[in-house]
């Protein structure tokens, strides 16, 4: 899953998010959430069914669910999350090895390869661009006679319009926020300009002005919404600065360095690239705005008192910036297997996971056993269960596409490519069930019963939501935690995995997730830490929901559009 906190999000953009593995003789290691009210559902315990000689029709789905086993999950994951696969970095050797492994497994299961005009019908190739900061000429920033140092005083992410030295007259855009009743852009034209934006959000009496119940709003927890908004307004670049004394820019820049030294990835034909995003130290920020700590404090106090944007007295200084990047094209792959349905075969259910991860950083292999090896092998096991059911005469009515995508860690790129170039029309795609990080337990659930976060199931379809609830009530009986459906949740998980590229195209989705942990986007995310019995049950829940979706008379109705 992509990084998403203030600076963790930048890691995704740069590893990406954005936005966060070369074989070595011994195992390597490194490391990197919020809690609104929890809506839960716990099913009553069913009485044990009497044993029968052969499964009755109502029990067929349970028979094949039992083919999803922790032993098989472990067997596949031990391969895909091994050092040999080098962390499955998009476009690199290990990712391509993983693609071959998954394609071969789909073929072994008897699934069809649905990709036309491909050298391998299980593989959808597409072209990306790998961009790197010019190693021979580091970016420079000069204000007046003072020059500032790359990776010490500032760093950046994105496509650069500053290949040559460029004189910039920036525009101050406050906290870069626009929502009902509050807009920093009122009366401000930033088209083609370079804007300075404060990180965080306005405060009043020590609490976020725009949050609720004392919690930060989305604007205060992450910068991507601000960057996207500035891009939408036509800005050429954005210079972010935090004056929060609890933020340590020097430490963050040092932590960012290995990620900034890795290439970023985008589509070769990308037409909607975001404005180039810079992060500068407080010292540089004061220079850019022509102010000091007292000036910033005065501005913040005026905002809190007014409860809305106020005119700042800052006089942004002209400066010169150079930020050259080099580019090269490469090919990467989505992998898929297709199980044709019967009387409703023209309608397609997608079961998805991303199989890429973040590769090798600082010489350490990031194997991504949980993120998202756990989801990938869950898809493989469900493909096996449905394949066996079909071989025994119990094939699904609707067709099922088992879809494993690349480039998720770089910004949901593989699923975006599939949604733009679908093998089966999205209008005929009834649902996407997406699985990302279902192999561990997060801190909020330590010492408690088994659980899974279900995200987005009610966003577009009340039918889909009911199907997931019923599957759990009847079969898996876990705690279903819906807290991350809250549109004000600062983690914004709904937007951070591959289901979102289906949802934004009107396809109902349900995202199954077990939360982040201390090894998230770190070299400690290893097979040895996966809780396979729990993962087995979680995969079976998705399977039961998939069985119902593939066999019911009506496809899920789209009757909502919740944020």
């Amino acid at each position: 899953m992509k990084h998403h906190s203030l600076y963790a999000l930048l890691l995704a953009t740069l590893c990406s998010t954005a936005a966060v593995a070369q074989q070595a003789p011994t195992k390597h290691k490194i490391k990197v959430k919020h809690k609104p009210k929890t809506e839960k559902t716990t099913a009553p315990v069913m009485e044990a069914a009497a044993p029968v000689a052969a499964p009755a029709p109502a029990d067929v789905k349970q028979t094949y669910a039992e083919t999803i086993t922790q032993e098989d999950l472990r067997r596949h994951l031990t391969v895909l999350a091994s050092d040999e696969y080098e962390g499955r970095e998009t476009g690199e050797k290990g990712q391509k090895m993983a693609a071959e492994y998954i394609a071969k497994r789909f073929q072994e299961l008897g699934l069809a390869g649905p990709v036309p005009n491909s050298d391998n019908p299980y593989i959808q190739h597409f072209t990306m661009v790998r961009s790197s900061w010019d190693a021979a000429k580091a970016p420079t920033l000069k204000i007046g006679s003072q020059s500032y140092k790359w990776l010490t005083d500032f760093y950046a992410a994105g496509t650069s319009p500053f290949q040559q030295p460029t004189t910039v007259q920036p525009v101050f855009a406050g906290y870069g926020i626009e929502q009902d009743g509050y807009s920093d852009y009122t009366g401000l034209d930033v088209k083609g300009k370079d804007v300075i934006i404060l990180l965080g959000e306005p405060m009043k009496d020590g609490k976020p002005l725009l949050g609720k119940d004392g919690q930060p709003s989305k604007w205060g927890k992450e910068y991507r919404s601000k960057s996207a908004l500035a891009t939408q307004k036509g800005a050429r670049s954005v210079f972010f600065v935090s004056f929060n004394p609890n933020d340590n820019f020097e430490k963050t820049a040092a932590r960012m360095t290995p990620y900034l030294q890795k290439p970023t990835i985008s589509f070769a034909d990308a037409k909607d690239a975001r404005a180039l995003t810079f992060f500068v130290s407080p010292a540089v920020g004061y220079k850019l705005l022509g102010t000091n700590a007292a000036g910033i404090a005065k501005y913040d106090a005026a905002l809190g008192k007014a409860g809305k944007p106020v005119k700042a007295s800052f006089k942004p200084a002209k400066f010169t910036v150079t930020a050259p990047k080099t580019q090269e094209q490469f090919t990467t792959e989505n992998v898929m297997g297709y199980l044709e349905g019967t009387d409703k075969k023209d309608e397609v259910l997608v079961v998805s996971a991303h199989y890429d991860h973040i590769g090798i950083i600082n010489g350490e292999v990031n194997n991504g056993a949980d993120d998202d090896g756990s989801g990938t092998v869950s898809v493989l096991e469900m493909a096996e269960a449905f394949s066996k059911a079909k071989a025994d005469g119990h094939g699904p009515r609707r067709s099922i596409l088992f879809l494993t995508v690349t480039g998720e860690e770089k910004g949901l790129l593989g699923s975006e490519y599939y949604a733009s170039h679908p093998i089966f029309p999205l209008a005929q795609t009834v649902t996407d069930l997406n699985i990302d990080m279902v192999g561990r337990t997060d801190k909020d659930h330590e010492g408690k019963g088994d659980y899974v976060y279900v995200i987005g199931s009610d966003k577009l379809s009340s039918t889909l939501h009911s199907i997931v609830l019923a599957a759990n009530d009847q079969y898996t009986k876990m705690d279903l935690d819906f807290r991350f459906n809250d549109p004000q949740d600062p983690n914004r998980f709904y937007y951070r995995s591959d289901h979102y590229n289906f949802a934004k195209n009107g396809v109902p989705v349900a995202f199954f997730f077990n939360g982040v942990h201390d090894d998230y986007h770190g070299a400690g995310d290893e097979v040895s830490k996966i809780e396979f019995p729990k993962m087995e049950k979680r995969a079976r829940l998705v399977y039961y929901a998939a069985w119902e979706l593939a066999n019911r008379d009506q496809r899920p109705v789209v009757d909502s559009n919740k944020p």
Side-chain angles (χ1 to χ4, degrees):
M1 169 173 287
K2 290 196 309 174
H3 278 296
H4 192 74
S5 69
L6 177 61
Y7 291 112
L9 256 176
L10 180 61
L11 299 187
T13 306
L14 302 174
C15 307
S16 114
T17 264
V20 178
Q22 231 109 263
Q23 182 179 7
T26 56
K27 194 70 81 173
H28 295 293
K29 304 279 167 196
I30 37 180
K31 293 186 188 184
V32 161
K33 243 175 171 189
H34 174 73
K35 197 171 178 180
K37 293 182 181 178
T38 306
E39 177 189 343
K40 302 179 180 179
T41 175
T42 304
V45 178
M46 296 175 62
E47 294 182 4
V52 292
D59 298 324
V60 166
K61 67 170 76 72
Q62 194 164 4
T63 298
Y64 296 102
E66 291 170 2
T67 71
I68 299 172
T69 66
Q70 55 184 293
E71 292 78 15
D72 283 352
L73 291 165
R74 182 187 296 273
R75 175 167 57 88
H76 292 302
L77 190 58
T78 298
V79 175
L80 290 170
S82 66
D83 280 1
E84 183 181 1
Y85 282 65
E86 299 182 355
R88 308 185 305 279
E89 171 81 57
T90 301
E92 301 294 345
K93 170 188 169 184
Q95 177 254 299
K96 294 179 182 296
M97 290 171 64
E100 290 176 8
Y101 182 94
I102 295 165
K104 182 179 178 182
R105 182 58 182 157
F106 285 154
Q107 186 174 25
E108 290 171 350
L109 293 171
L111 299 177
V115 185
N117 306 316
S118 176
D119 58 347
N120 184 331
Y122 295 91
I123 291 179
Q124 182 183 47
H125 302 282
F126 56 101
T127 301
M128 306 292 291
V129 172
R130 185 182 287 119
S131 301
S132 306
W133 296 109
D134 193 331
K137 187 177 181 182
T140 60
L141 176 64
K142 188 174 182 179
I143 307 172
S145 61
Q146 179 69 50
S147 293
Y148 294 93
K149 191 175 179 182
W150 174 246
L151 301 181
T152 299
D153 301 306
F154 74 103
Y155 55 86
T159 303
S160 177
F162 303 124
Q163 295 293 117
Q164 304 296 327
T166 305
T167 300
V168 170
Q169 176 61 69
V171 175
F172 179 60
Y175 281 91
I177 294 170
E178 184 171 76
Q179 65 176 47
D180 289 345
Y182 192 104
S183 176
D184 284 304
Y185 288 96
T186 300
L188 194 63
D189 179 11
V190 300
K191 189 171 184 178
K193 298 178 182 178
D194 308 279
V195 297
I196 302 171
I197 292 176
L198 303 179
L199 289 168
E201 63 182 310
M203 306 291 285
K204 183 175 184 178
D205 300 327
K207 294 180 180 179
L209 179 65
L210 303 177
K212 67 175 186 178
D213 300 326
Q215 297 297 320
S217 72
K218 70 173 184 179
W219 305 103
K221 291 294 288 185
E222 50 95 7
Y223 76 92
R224 289 175 71 93
S225 295
K226 295 182 179 185
S227 179
L229 178 59
T231 301
Q232 180 186 325
K233 298 286 186 182
R236 176 173 63 172
S237 69
V238 181
F239 288 76
F240 283 113
V241 58
S242 172
F243 295 112
N244 185 332
N246 295 321
D247 290 341
N248 187 326
F249 181 87
E250 183 178 308
K251 184 177 179 180
T252 302
R255 183 165 57 89
M256 291 299 305
T257 295
Y259 297 93
L260 290 159
Q261 291 170 340
K262 291 172 69 71
T264 56
I265 291 172
S266 61
F267 290 112
D269 59 352
K271 297 181 177 63
D272 57 347
R274 284 192 179 160
L276 178 61
T277 302
F278 287 87
F279 292 82
V280 303
S281 70
V284 174
Y286 290 133
K287 284 283 188 180
L288 287 177
L289 290 172
T291 189
N292 52 28
I296 295 296
K298 182 179 178 181
Y299 173 74
D300 279 338
L303 279 179
K305 183 177 180 180
K308 61 182 181 180
V310 297
K311 185 174 177 58
S313 60
F314 309 138
K315 292 180 169 47
K318 276 188 180 181
F319 62 93
T320 302
V321 62
T322 310
K325 297 194 85 169
T326 58
Q327 295 187 335
E328 63 173 345
Q329 291 193 347
F330 70 98
T331 301
T332 189
E333 299 82 21
N334 292 330
V335 189
M336 59 195 80
Y338 174 68
L339 189 71
E340 188 176 66
T342 55
D343 61 311
K344 293 183 177 292
K345 65 182 180 182
D346 290 339
E347 295 182 352
V348 179
L349 167 67
V350 174
V351 180
S352 65
H354 75 90
Y355 72 94
D356 65 305
H357 195 52
I358 62 174
I360 301 171
I361 298 174
N362 279 345
E364 295 183 299
V365 181
N366 293 261
N367 282 319
D370 192 22
D371 186 12
D372 183 30
S374 62
T376 301
V377 299
S378 295
V379 170
L380 293 182
E381 279 294 274
M382 279 185 277
E384 179 179 350
F386 278 101
S387 296
K388 287 181 175 179
K390 182 173 182 177
D392 292 344
H394 302 295
R397 299 176 69 188
R398 291 181 177 82
S399 299
I400 305 177
L401 181 68
F402 298 97
L403 175 64
T404 60
V405 296
T406 185
E408 191 270 359
E409 300 291 4
K410 310 305 180 193
L412 315 185
L413 300 178
S415 55
E416 181 178 347
Y417 185 83
Y418 179 85
S420 299
H421 304 81
I423 304 302
F424 303 97
L426 295 185
Q428 293 168 217
T429 302
V430 301
T431 297
D432 172 46
L433 301 178
N434 185 51
I435 315 165
D436 194 349
M437 297 181 65
V438 291
R440 301 274 293 268
T441 298
D442 70 0
K443 285 184 169 56
D444 283 343
H445 291 85
E446 287 177 357
K448 300 178 183 178
D450 203 0
Y451 74 103
V452 65
Y453 295 110
V454 182
I455 303 173
S457 58
D458 69 340
K459 297 285 190 183
L460 292 166
S461 174
S462 59
T463 310
L464 174 58
H465 190 64
S466 297
I467 287 170
V468 174
L469 291 175
N472 185 61
D473 285 348
Q474 186 172 1
Y475 295 105
T476 49
K477 306 182 190 313
M478 291 185 286
D479 172 15
L480 301 189
D481 194 327
F482 297 99
R483 72 180 70 183
F484 296 126
N485 278 337
D486 181 355
Q488 298 302 314
D489 179 72
N491 296 289
R492 292 174 65 77
F493 286 124
Y494 177 59
Y495 305 94
R496 291 175 54 188
S497 191
D498 295 297
H499 59 279
Y500 185 64
N501 282 314
F502 288 91
K504 73 181 186 181
N505 283 286
V507 177
V509 301
F511 170 30
F512 300 86
F513 171 58
N514 280 83
V516 297
H517 42 73
D518 288 342
D519 294 318
Y520 174 58
H521 278 210
D525 185 3
E526 295 282 7
V527 176
S528 60
K529 297 180 182 178
I530 296 295
E531 300 163 325
F532 286 99
K534 293 181 178 180
M535 193 164 106
E536 175 189 276
K537 183 183 284 191
R538 295 160 184 169
R540 288 183 180 184
L541 170 61
V542 184
Y543 159 85
Y544 282 122
W547 185 286
E548 173 64 20
L549 287 160
N551 288 290
R552 69 198 311 271
D553 289 336
Q554 302 296 323
R555 63 188 288 173
V557 61
V558 177
D559 56 2
S560 182
N561 187 21
K562 296 179 181 179

